[in-house]
Amino acid sequence: MAIRNIRLIGDSILTKRSKEITEVTPKLRTLIEDMLDTMYDANGVGLAAPQIGILKRLVVIDTSPEGDSPIVLINPVVLETDGEQTGEEGCLSVPGKSGVVTRPNYAKVKAYNENMEEIIVEGTELLARALCHEIDHLDGVLYVEKVIGDLHSTEENND
Ligand code: NI
């Protein structure tokens, strides 16, 4: 259990493509635990491994209001999307800012869980947005590239 340092926009690691994971080792299990700790500590709804400096295709998400429903996605791939939603989006790597992004309103993702079992995760609204946002991180894409108009400051202090 540890909180890792979150890399910020401008760090070149955030623009790189992450590599596929081939096996779940004890080290990877620790990484998953640390990513969950780091996401919850930062009050985020998602975190991708490159955001803590690890170029592996690993994402954690929890969009539940209670913050008690973690989803772990290894090598996630978007299989299907539908519809459209346009709304505010933020990122732990871009603290204190948000911007308007259009995303699919539904996403169906294939991935592997922490036991390397294939899983399908389907989401609408916030979960669909989080799935697309986090998977973008694995391809070195930040939401700021997709923002309509300007980024604005959030009232919330993310420090
Ligand atoms: Ni992000």
Side-chain angles (χ1 to χ4, degrees):
M1 302 260 289
I3 295 179
R4 308 263 188 128
N5 189 34
I6 297 176
R7 303 296 185 96
L8 301 181
I9 186 168
D11 189 322
S12 65
I13 203 157
L14 293 174
T15 65
K16 294 190 169 132
R17 188 183 184 278
S18 292
K19 293 200 172 64
E20 310 282 330
I21 290 167
T22 54
E23 59 173 337
V24 176
T25 60
K27 199 177 164 188
L28 192 86
R29 286 184 187 277
T30 302
L31 175 62
I32 291 168
E33 289 305 313
D34 288 357
M35 282 178 59
L36 287 167
D37 290 345
T38 304
M39 175 182 74
Y40 288 126
D41 178 69
N43 295 314
V45 297
L47 187 71
Q51 291 183 273
I52 55 163
I54 310 279
L55 288 173
K56 289 186 191 296
R57 301 187 81 79
L58 171 62
V59 159
V60 295
I61 291 174
D62 190 343
T63 56
S64 68
E66 301 80 14
D68 59 359
S69 305
I71 300 171
V72 175
L73 302 173
I74 293 172
N75 301 339
V77 176
V78 177
L79 294 182
E80 212 180 304
T81 60
D82 191 38
E84 216 176 77
Q85 56 173 320
T86 298
E88 289 288 332
E89 195 162 316
C91 178
L92 294 175
S93 293
V94 191
K97 302 278 184 194
S98 71
V100 174
V101 183
T102 297
R103 299 280 189 187
N105 197 47
Y106 164 84
K108 179 178 183 179
V109 169
K110 185 187 91 163
Y112 296 87
N113 66 14
E114 58 269 53
N115 299 315
M116 235 24 193
E117 295 157 347
E118 193 177 304
I119 53 169
I120 299 285
V121 176
E122 289 177 289
T124 60
E125 299 170 20
L126 179 58
L127 179 54
R129 179 178 292 282
L131 287 164
C132 295
H133 175 117
E134 299 309 330
I135 292 170
D136 270 357
H137 273 298
L138 304 182
D139 294 320
V141 175
L142 293 178
Y143 85 94
V144 298
E145 294 176 36
K146 298 184 170 180
V147 160
I148 302 162
D150 296 323
L151 285 181
H152 25 268
S153 294
T154 52
E155 295 125 342
E156 205 176 79
N157 184 351
N158 285 329
D159 289 340

